[in-house]
Amino acid sequence: MTSTHETTTPADLDPANPFAAPSALPYGLPDFSVIREEHYEPAILAGMAAHRAEVEAIATNPEPATVENTLVALERSGQLLGRAARAYFNQLPSDSTPGLEDIQERLAPLFSAHRDAINMDARLHERVRALADAAEAGDLDLEPDTAYLVEKLMTQFKRSGIALSLGDQDTLRELNARITSLEASFGRKLLAGANEAGVLVTDEAELAGLSADAKAGARAAAAARGQDGWLLEMQLFTHQNVLASLEDAATRERVQSASMARGATGGENDTREVLLELARLRAHHAQLLGYEHHAAYIAADATAGTTAAVNEMLGRLAPAAVANARREAADLATVGGGSPSGGVAAADWSYLNEAVRKERFNLDDAALRPYLELERVLHDGVFKAAGLLFGLSFVERPDLPGYHPDVRVFEVFDAAEPGEPGTGLGLFLGDFYTRESKRGGAWMDSLVVQSTLLGEKPVVVNNLNIVKPPAGDPTLLVWDEVTTLFHEFGHALHGLLSDVRYPSQSGTSVPRDFVEYPSQVNEMWSWDPQILTSFAVHHTTGEPMPAQWVDTMLASRIWGEGFSTTEYLAAALLDQAWHQLTPDQVPTSVEDVLPFEAAALAAAGVDFASVPPRYRSTYFNHIFGGGYSAGYYSYIWSEVLDADTVQWYAENGGLTRENGEAFRRKLLARGGSQDPLVSFADLRGRAAEITPLLERRGLV
Ligand SMILES: [Zn+2]
């Protein structure tokens, strides 16, 4: 099977392969009722071959370059590859199998080589440059989105190493291929390691404090692996949610230790060797292209621009955040008769925090959960806010197939006026439950990207990791999961409300330090009194959440910001520390990984043992397994824009259709068709300011 790519041409793809022709389902939804694991690889390989042939035709076109024969032709190319690859890369993290993982291992270097072949094609570069030069000279009038496309393409060529010697280009290709396959290997080890790290409890007494649902889930998780007892499964981040409710300190300590040891336990799932090689190769790659290190290479293509700008922002926040966390620790240490100087173990933080929260704010996650039922939160919260702001409505389509029985498909309608049925805008797929085959975390993906050029409407997916209740029981959420639902839906809206010509500029195709911004903004609606009172209704009695609880929740929002900002910043600073190294500065021994981490945290002033980084290096999937290397700072960079936008909404009357329309047209719809900071300034009337964020997080 591995060698089929050598002989595959588009004509070789079995016409019965579901990817061979565009899907006949509404909105081009891939027909998951017939797609099988074995369809992905041949379709992707045939797609690569077809794409290469299309690009070859563009590059060798004897006619002089025009927008139509070069830019538009490029945008139209690669459709078979796009449809197969998007479906595959959606399913891989969400419902993986050993077979799908194997495909990834085989294809990763080919994808990398495929991208290189296009980005390093000198003939293509010449054609785009001819257009750029003509526009520059005033001989060619480009529409703004096309001009921006040309600018981005020229940057892409430069960053791909088109100006390098042929020998250096070969080195760069080898580096790209190796880096991509190391990233895949990191992700695979991490998933296997997380499954292995789950904490098995055999004495029920050790689970005191855990809700009946959580216990049932843990019981089922153990049973699913043929084990007796209760299996506490690992979430991706350091600080496991169960720590807030486990009464037994020894169990908490076991969970915390297992969580923090992931990736550094020796054996097959140890990630240290992989991450060291990644750090070294990325640094090498950056230097070949003329950047000091990987972080500088990444910042240059983001809205941040430079590493100095990133360091400056993180440096401004870190001392204030850690000081806040230390104050919170002193506060927590007094619980149960302790003294403020007694300190708080990381394993105990959530539990004590929950106790203080209950005492001070009289809030109890367990008591809140019956008021946070998934269907209500979805329909009367997430969808309702999108309706009031953007005029959207959602109709579930059980007739349309998902890639897993848990996946739900909704058709999204866009009403010009309230009360009108509206026109079909796209599809939204919700995949809410955790399962062994799904990676941790929550994310959005696109199966079809919006483009007026291709006449395609968006199909987007949200993945969450909510523990599935026993059959027939309602899905009751904790507040964090409610926020996550709104957050991921913010990404979905970015994809759904995209209104651009070129597919490469669609929706979330924006720099990564901007992409979290619309999703963070959408979180604000979970707190909006009108929305909150609509979805926070008791799932059996129908009674609204007591008004006093709502007030208390609002009042308690800033509580715990010291902890959460510090754990986040520690991870962001770690990411920068690894990626601000030159190749020869990267440690060479796996024994140096954790000491390097400790030293980096100390140097940045975030070495506060009570608050470990949100991800340690050895299980930091965002930066070593995925696309966020040197970019984890992006969340807080985006949050600067977010906090400023929340203020804009407040200044303009909050949750209104008019405000939603402005946010939609000036920002979401524009996608990556212009500089995103231009979109932001267009909405806000000025550049972003940092003060609203400092205020929000209690850091002023
Ligand atoms: Zn996000």
Side-chain angles (χ1 to χ4, degrees), residues 442-443 487-488 491 515-516 519 628 635:
W443 63 92
H487 175 100
E488 294 309 328
H491 288 303
V515 78
E516 291 303 321
S519 53
Y628 265 76
Y635 290 91

